[in-house]
Amino acid sequence: MKRLLAFCLMAVLLLTLTGCGDDGAGAGFRFPLEAEPAQLDPQVSTDPAAITVLSVLFEGLTRLDDRGQPVPAGANWTVSADGRTYTFTLRQNQWSTVSVPGEETPWDEPTPVTAQDYLFGLQRALSPGAPDSLAASLYVIQNARAVHTGQQGLGALGVRTEGDDRLIITLNVADPSFPATLATTPCMPCNRAFFEYTAGRYGLEKQYLITNGPFALTAWNHGESLLLGKHEGYRDAAAVLPAAVRYVIGVDDPVESLRTGQMDAVALTAAQVEELADTDIQTVTLQDTVRSLYFNTAQTPLHNADIRRALRDAVQWETVYGYLQAQGEAPATGYLPPDATVAGEAYRNPGNSARLVTDVAAAQTALGRGLKAAYPDEKTPSLPRLTVLAPEDGYSEDLARYLIQSWQKNLKLYCTLETVPPATVEARLRAGNYQLAVCAVTLSGLTAAENLTVYTASSAENFTGYGEAAYDLAVNAALTGGRPEVTAAETLLRQACPTVPLSFPSRYYGIAAHTAGIHVRPFGGGVYGSPFSFQQAQKWED
C-alpha cells in the first residue's frame, strides 16, 4: 500500500509542474542549475549547485530571512549573559521518508528530528578530514579547531544535548553573528542511523538521502534535473505553497525558457532584459558584483603596498569613469557594492562612498618609495614590464587599455595586455597565475562584513594573496559589530590596496509572468544559500 501511495504522490507532483490550483497555490516551479551537484551531503558539499539544492532540502536551527538576518527555524534559542552559551529548543519536525523498491527499510515511516541529529551534523562538519572551508566557519565553537585538527576527540566539542529537544552550544568567545552561521549547510542535521545505513553512499542518490526541510528529493535524473516535492512532514508544511520544484541542469535559451514557461526564474544579460521589455516577464536588477583590478601580492614588486597605491593613483580616473558610464556601468564608490548590508540596511551611502581621484605626484612619490623597498640592492630600481590579464570581451579589453595608457603617461610604465576567455581569467585568478587582472566577481556574503572576509588570509576566495593580521582583526570586529566597524575594515583595505574597485556591474534575473512570491537573493544567496526564495511562490493562468 505504501508503494502505491508513493507512486500516486509522484504522479501528482509531476502533474503540478504543468498545472496549478485556482488560488495560485500548489503549483510546480522550475529553476536552473549551472551544473549537476557532485553529491548532496551538507557536511561535505562545497560546489554551488549542491549548496543551492541543499539549502531548500534541509533546515538548520536558524535560517536567514530575505534581509539576511537570522530567525528561528528548526529551533528557538536563548543566549547566556556573557554571549558564549546558546540553548536551542527544537520545534517538532520530521525527516522525509524513502522507499527502496524490493527492500524493507526503517525509513518508510516518518522519524522525528532530534537534538542528537544536529549534534551529529556538527560533529561530522568538524571531524578530522572534513573540508577545511566548511569546518573553519565553525571554529568559534569551543574546541572546534582542536577537534578538526585531531588534537582532541569529538567529545571535547562544545556541543551537547539535553534530551531529544534541547541542544546547547558553547563558544570560545561571544559572537553575535553565530546564529547566522547556524543557517549554513555545514550546520544541517544528520540522522546517524540513516547515515550508517547508507554505508558510504550518503547523498549520492535519492534513496540515500532523508531531509528535514520544506522539500524532499523526489527524483534525481542525472545530467538532466532534480525534482523536489513538498515535504508534508515538515514542521511548517502548511506555509509552503509550491507542490514541487524542479532544478534543471543547464538552460540553452533563457529568454525562450521564460516565454514558454520552461523556467520560472533565470539569469539574464542586459541585452536579454531589453528584449523582454515589452513582455509580462518581471525583471530584477542586482548590484552585488565588483569589477576590480587585481594585484597578485605574492609577486615582486606587487607585494609592496606603495607600488600598488602608485598604480591606483596614477590612473586617469575621469577618463575611466567616463568610459564606464558610457557603457552603462556604475563607477565603483568603494570595495562593497550597493546590495551589501549592515543590520539589514544598505551599507553604501553618501558618507562612505567616494570615487577614486588621480594624484600623479602622490603616485610618483609612492612608486619611488616602493621601488627602493622592493629592490634594496639596486641603485636606480625601476618597474619591470608587467602583464595585465583581461577577458576577451571587448569591454574589459578597452578598460584595461585605459589603465595601461594611464601608467604609460604618468609613470612611464609599459605593460603587456593578455586577453583570454572569461572563464580562464577566473581560473587563473584562483590559481594565482597572473600579475595584474581585470575581472568582475560576484561576492558571496549576504552582508557587508561577510563580503570583506574575501580579503582575509584564510579565505579561499582571496585571489590576491594579501594577508594582514590587522585587517583580519578588523574584519572579525566588523562581523560582530556594526557600521563603524565595517567602515574601519574597508578603510584598512583601501590603504592596503590589494585590488582597485573599478565598477559595480549589474546582474539581471527574469521571473516568469503570472507568478508571485519568487524572490531573487543578492550574492547568490550567500556562501551556503540559495539564489531564490520561493516557499511563498504562486502562479496562475491568464
Side-chain angles (χ1 to χ4, degrees):
M1 178 62 69
K2 283 185 287 187
R3 297 291 191 274
L4 178 60
L5 289 174
F7 177 81
C8 293
L9 177 60
M10 170 72 79
V12 170
L13 290 176
L14 290 173
L15 286 171
T16 59
L17 286 175
T18 58
C20 59
D22 292 339
D23 64 352
F29 291 81
R30 293 172 177 260
F31 300 102
L33 277 183
E34 291 187 2
E36 180 163 8
Q39 60 185 22
L40 293 174
D41 182 342
Q43 279 76 44
V44 172
S45 299
T46 58
D47 57 294
I51 291 167
T52 294
V53 178
L54 287 168
S55 64
V56 295
L57 287 175
F58 283 86
E59 178 175 80
L61 295 164
T62 69
R63 67 175 179 84
L64 300 183
D65 64 18
D66 288 333
R67 298 199 313 160
Q69 300 302 298
V71 295
N76 294 301
W77 75 85
T78 60
V79 60
S80 61
D82 64 2
R84 291 185 55 224
T85 302
Y86 286 78
T87 301
F88 294 89
T89 301
L90 268 62
R91 297 170 166 179
Q92 289 187 352
N93 199 10
Q94 293 179 339
W95 288 101
S96 63
T97 60
V98 292
S99 296
V100 181
E103 181 180 344
E104 292 293 332
T105 76
W107 315 110
D108 288 345
E109 301 292 339
T111 302
V113 179
T114 68
Q116 287 77 18
D117 297 330
Y118 283 97
L119 170 62
F120 184 58
L122 289 171
Q123 288 177 334
R124 288 192 62 228
L126 287 164
S127 62
D132 292 345
S133 60
L134 303 185
S137 67
L138 301 174
Y139 279 176
V140 70
I141 298 176
Q142 189 177 63
N143 298 326
R145 183 190 293 270
V147 170
H148 183 232
T149 56
Q151 299 174 32
Q152 290 186 272
L154 287 173
L157 187 64
V159 185
R160 60 186 177 89
T161 62
E162 287 186 355
D164 287 340
D165 65 350
R166 184 166 294 180
L167 187 76
I168 300 171
I169 303 178
T170 303
L171 310 183
N172 295 311
V173 294
D175 181 1
S177 68
F178 184 62
T181 299
L182 289 174
T184 63
T185 53
C187 303
M188 300 302 169
C190 181
N191 183 291
R192 182 193 291 269
F194 182 82
F195 177 79
E196 292 174 348
Y197 157 77
T198 63
R201 295 166 292 184
Y202 184 67
L204 294 178
E205 296 288 349
K206 178 182 74 69
Q207 65 265 35
Y208 303 129
L209 187 68
I210 57 174
T211 60
N212 73 318
F215 295 91
L217 185 60
T218 304
W220 188 344
N221 304 308
H222 291 283
E224 297 179 5
S225 66
L226 293 92
L227 178 63
L228 281 57
K230 179 178 175 178
H231 176 202
E232 297 296 345
Y234 174 60
R235 61 170 184 82
D236 198 18
V240 179
L241 300 186
V245 171
R246 187 184 294 277
Y247 284 102
V248 179
I249 300 168
V251 177
D252 294 329
D253 188 334
V255 171
E256 187 65 14
S257 72
L258 287 171
R259 283 176 169 162
T260 60
Q262 292 301 304
M263 286 291 135
D264 289 290
V266 66
L268 300 172
T269 65
Q272 289 168 337
V273 170
E274 289 293 324
E275 186 178 348
L276 292 167
D278 296 327
T279 71
D280 292 333
I281 303 299
Q282 309 163 65
T283 57
V284 177
T285 301
L286 301 178
Q287 285 193 292
D288 55 2
T289 300
V290 184
R291 191 184 307 279
S292 302
L293 170 67
Y294 282 80
F295 297 118
N296 188 339
T297 68
Q299 293 190 8
T300 304
L302 298 173
H303 70 285
N304 183 276
D306 275 319
I307 291 176
R308 300 195 298 268
R309 287 190 287 264
L311 292 169
R312 177 194 65 195
D313 295 342
V315 172
Q316 298 292 129
W317 285 110
E318 288 306 312
T319 301
V320 170
Y321 290 149
Y323 174 71
L324 291 170
Q325 290 175 313
Q327 300 299 314
E329 197 155 295
T333 54
Y335 280 84
L336 296 168
D339 283 344
T341 61
V342 174
E345 303 295 332
Y347 169 69
R348 288 259 79 93
N349 61 39
N352 60 34
S353 299
R355 295 185 184 185
L356 295 168
V357 295
T358 306
D359 192 336
V360 177
Q364 292 173 344
T365 299
L367 180 61
R369 185 168 58 243
L371 287 173
K372 288 181 181 179
Y375 303 102
D377 298 329
E378 296 185 20
K379 290 185 178 181
T380 56
S382 61
L383 274 177
R385 180 182 286 268
L386 299 172
T387 297
V388 180
L389 184 68
E392 52 186 19
D393 57 14
Y395 173 76
S396 299
E397 296 174 50
D398 287 343
L399 185 55
R401 289 190 181 97
Y402 279 117
L403 301 177
I404 291 171
Q405 289 166 5
S406 296
W407 298 329
Q408 181 178 340
K409 174 183 177 181
N410 295 326
L411 297 178
K412 302 299 186 288
L413 169 65
Y414 294 87
C415 295
T416 299
L417 175 61
E418 180 184 2
T419 60
V420 296
T424 303
V425 174
E426 185 166 343
R428 287 181 56 177
L429 279 178
R430 291 183 179 278
N433 182 19
Y434 75 101
Q435 289 183 302
L436 300 94
V438 173
C439 187
V441 174
T442 300
L443 303 177
S444 58
L446 283 175
T447 68
E450 289 172 355
N451 283 328
L452 290 173
T453 63
V454 301
Y455 293 99
T456 58
S458 61
S459 173
E461 296 179 283
N462 186 349
F463 304 147
T464 70
Y466 168 73
E468 294 290 341
Y471 177 74
D472 287 3
L473 288 173
V475 171
N476 287 336
L479 288 168
T480 58
R483 188 176 294 272
E485 288 76 17
V486 172
T487 299
E490 188 182 30
T491 299
L492 281 179
L493 196 59
R494 187 178 295 112
Q495 293 169 351
C497 194
T499 66
V500 179
L502 302 173
S503 64
F504 296 143
S506 294
R507 294 196 307 126
Y508 305 95
Y509 279 86
I511 299 177
H514 312 304
T515 63
I518 299 175
H519 300 285
V520 182
R521 292 169 169 158
F523 308 106
V527 180
Y528 302 116
S530 170
F532 305 112
S533 171
F534 49 78
Q535 289 190 30
Q536 300 299 305
Q538 298 171 276
K539 64 169 60 175
W540 56 90
E541 302 291 346
D542 283 324

